[in-house]
């Protein structure tokens, strides 16, 4: 049968041999990004099983002791339009629907893959208007956080965040 070329075999072997190290870095970056996002008032929610706030946190710790992966979702305050602006403002992360790449990838389904749906249809499909899916890559953590920070600044009006913080303090 057909055989793989020498260069392809070498690259495949390199990938297999370095997979554990790359996965460790994916998991470290994903947890740090999720923690950072959860603490940011411009973010309405974070769904990552590696965070104690997630309903399946204990299960994830039991079955995935190194971490629950590098793909998760979060909400950008401001809904569909803020999500669209957030994606457009990113400079490091790639706007792609794939997951599991070595680079950080993001997508806002409400303005892309599900952009033709009404708010009611999005809700029925379980896709929040503010939902952003992120596949955290291997870039330097500070670079990833910088990119998310500047994109959130472009997408979320500061006065709206201030009002949300004040209303949360009143409760």
């Amino acid at each position: 049968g057909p055989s793989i070329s020498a260069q392809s075999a070498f690259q495949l072997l390199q990938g297999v041999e370095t997979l554990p190290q790359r996965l460790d870095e994916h998991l470290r970056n994903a947890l740090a990004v999720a923690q950072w996002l959860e603490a940011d008032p411009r973010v309405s929610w974070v769904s990552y099983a590696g965070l104690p706030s997630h309903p399946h946190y204990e299960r994830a710790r039991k079955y995935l002791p190194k971490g629950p992966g590098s793909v998760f979702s979060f909400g950008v305050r401001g809904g569909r339009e803020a999500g669209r602006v957030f994606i457009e403002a990113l400079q490091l992360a790639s706007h792609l629907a794939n997951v599991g790449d070595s680079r950080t990838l993001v997508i806002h389904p409400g303005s892309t893959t599900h952009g033709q749906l009404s708010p009611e249809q999005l809700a029925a499909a379980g896709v929040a208007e503010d939902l952003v899916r992120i596949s955290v890559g291997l870039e330097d953590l500070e670079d990833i956080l910088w990119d998310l920070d500047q994109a959130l600044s472009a997408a979320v009006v500061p006065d709206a965040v201030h009002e949300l913080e004040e209303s949360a303090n009143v409760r």
Side-chain angles (χ1 to χ4, degrees):
S3 62
I4 191 168
S5 73
Q7 182 64 34
S8 295
F10 170 77
Q11 290 172 332
L12 179 64
L13 184 59
Q14 288 293 101
V16 171
E17 288 176 341
T18 61
L19 185 60
Q21 291 79 22
R22 289 183 287 121
L23 283 176
D24 288 346
E25 188 68 16
H26 273 294
L27 296 172
R28 271 193 300 277
N29 280 353
L31 178 59
V33 168
Q35 290 169 333
W36 184 86
L37 288 167
E38 187 173 54
D40 195 304
R42 299 167 296 182
V43 174
S44 51
W45 56 271
V46 177
S47 181
Y48 181 64
L51 295 174
S53 60
H54 193 277
H56 300 295
Y57 173 71
E58 289 302 327
R59 187 173 290 124
R61 284 181 41 152
K62 179 179 178 181
Y63 294 111
L64 304 164
K66 289 190 173 190
S70 61
V71 179
F72 61 93
S73 57
F74 64 95
V76 176
R77 289 202 189 274
R80 193 179 241 180
E81 182 58 19
R84 183 190 64 73
V85 172
F86 171 80
I87 293 294
E88 290 176 358
L90 290 166
Q91 297 178 37
L92 173 73
S94 298
H95 181 210
L96 294 169
N98 332 8
V99 294
D101 198 305
S102 61
R103 295 169 302 243
T104 298
L105 310 174
V106 294
I107 193 162
H108 176 247
S111 64
T112 57
T113 58
H114 295 67
Q116 76 283 4
L117 301 180
S118 69
E120 296 78 22
Q121 291 170 320
L122 283 173
V127 178
E129 288 191 2
D130 62 349
L131 181 141
V132 171
R133 186 182 70 211
I134 184 167
S135 175
V136 181
L138 300 175
E139 302 93 347
D140 182 79
L141 178 61
E142 292 304 313
D143 292 341
I144 296 169
L145 296 178
W146 170 85
D147 195 28
L148 295 173
D149 182 52
Q150 63 84 28
L152 284 167
S153 292
V156 181
V157 179
D159 291 339
V161 172
H162 181 68
E163 288 173 19
L164 289 166
E165 287 173 335
E166 283 184 355
S167 67
N169 290 334
V170 171
R171 294 182 197 163

